[in-house]
């Protein structure tokens, strides 16, 4: 059985394309094209299920048409409409430097060199020009810029990102006891 921590989300199957079982795939990470893994994992009824890829072709920089093994009709492909698509972490870890997308780090804990643990990366916000990590801790959200210059280290085994954020970038007075003298 595939566990949630063994995969990370890379996109969504939108709808069937044609009559031979092809699926329109909107992805946030093209890792499936950059590393040697011949399957994708779909979340079906709360269970992670692997499906081998017969073939795929890109339509744009964020969409592809994918043909899964055993999905040979439009009717069968319709069962995959709006299904979340995941990629195995073990294959993504084999990617070389610069080949991982920011989405790979969802589920990692984040700590700052001065402030300690900031929380867990819950999602990656790419809605604006500046990509942001959405970090959650105790029900609170923190937005941290996803920029390589702020990252001190990444420990994939421990799922930990260590950052050194510029002073004043985040409102962290709750984490610092010495910030009580700041004016409101």
């Amino acid at each position: 059985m595939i566990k949630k921590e063994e995969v990370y989300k890379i996109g969504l199957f939108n709808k069937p394309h044609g009559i031979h079982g092809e699926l329109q795939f909107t992805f946030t990470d093209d890792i499936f094209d950059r590393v040697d893994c011949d399957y994708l994992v779909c979340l079906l009824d709360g269970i992670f299920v692997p499906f081998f890829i017969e073939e795929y072709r890109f339509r744009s920089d964020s969409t592809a048409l994918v043909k899964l093994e055993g999905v040979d009709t439009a009717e069968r492909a319709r069962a995959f409409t709006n299904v979340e698509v995941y990629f195995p972490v073990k294959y993504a870890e084999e990617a070389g430097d610069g080949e991982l997308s920011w989405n790979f780090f969802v589920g990692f804990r984040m700590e700052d060199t001065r402030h300690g643990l900031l929380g867990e990366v819950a999602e990656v916000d790419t809605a604006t020009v500046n990509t942001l990590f959405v970090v959650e801790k105790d029900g609170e959200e923190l937005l941290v810029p996803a920029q390589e210059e702020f990252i001190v280290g990444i420990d994939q085994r421990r799922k930990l990102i260590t950052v050194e954020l510029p002073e004043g970038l985040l409102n962290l007075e709750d984490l610092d006891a010495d910030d009580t003298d700041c004016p409101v």
Side-chain angles (χ1 to χ4, degrees):
M1 180 172 218
I2 299 172
K3 298 178 182 134
K4 184 168 178 54
E5 58 271 4
E6 296 174 338
V7 294
Y8 73 103
K9 186 176 176 184
I10 63 166
L12 185 76
F13 284 134
N14 302 111
K15 60 183 181 177
H17 177 81
I19 60 170
H20 300 291
E22 274 188 316
L23 294 157
Q24 184 178 359
F25 177 39
T26 302
F27 56 87
T28 55
D29 187 344
D30 66 352
I31 189 82
F32 64 95
D33 187 51
R34 293 181 280 121
V35 300
D36 190 23
C37 177
D38 53 358
Y39 67 94
L40 295 172
V41 178
C42 297
L43 183 60
L44 298 172
D45 297 325
I47 299 171
F48 292 104
V49 182
F51 287 91
F52 286 98
I53 303 169
E54 275 187 23
E55 62 184 17
Y56 63 89
R57 64 185 191 273
F58 290 99
R59 295 190 77 186
S60 72
D61 61 351
S62 64
T63 61
L65 295 177
V66 177
K67 176 74 176 68
L68 298 176
E69 198 172 278
V71 180
D72 298 321
T73 65
E75 187 175 304
R76 177 78 173 110
R78 265 192 288 284
F80 290 86
T81 301
N82 295 323
V83 167
E84 293 179 352
V85 179
Y86 292 78
F87 194 79
V89 170
K90 66 181 178 183
Y91 289 101
E93 289 172 344
E94 295 172 5
D97 288 342
E99 288 187 336
L100 290 175
S101 78
W102 294 119
N103 289 317
F104 175 77
F105 300 105
V106 171
F108 275 57
R109 289 175 297 120
M110 182 177 288
E111 69 178 13
D112 182 72
T113 54
R114 286 187 293 272
H115 302 288
L117 184 65
L118 299 177
E120 183 175 309
V121 178
E123 65 180 286
V124 177
D125 181 353
T126 57
T128 62
V129 173
N130 297 317
T131 301
L132 300 168
F133 288 120
V134 178
V135 179
E136 289 184 354
K137 182 178 181 184
D138 301 328
E140 298 289 321
E141 279 189 354
L142 211 58
L143 300 177
V144 178
Q147 295 186 9
E148 291 181 32
E149 66 216 45
F150 298 151
I151 298 174
V152 176
I154 297 172
D155 185 336
Q156 288 186 22
R157 187 181 56 75
R158 292 177 46 219
K159 294 187 83 163
L160 177 68
I161 303 170
T162 304
V163 295
E164 187 170 332
L165 300 174
E167 200 61 45
L169 181 66
L170 301 173
N171 188 9
L172 296 174
E173 66 271 355
D174 294 337
L175 297 176
D176 288 339
D178 59 347
D179 280 351
T180 55
D181 59 343
C182 290
V184 179

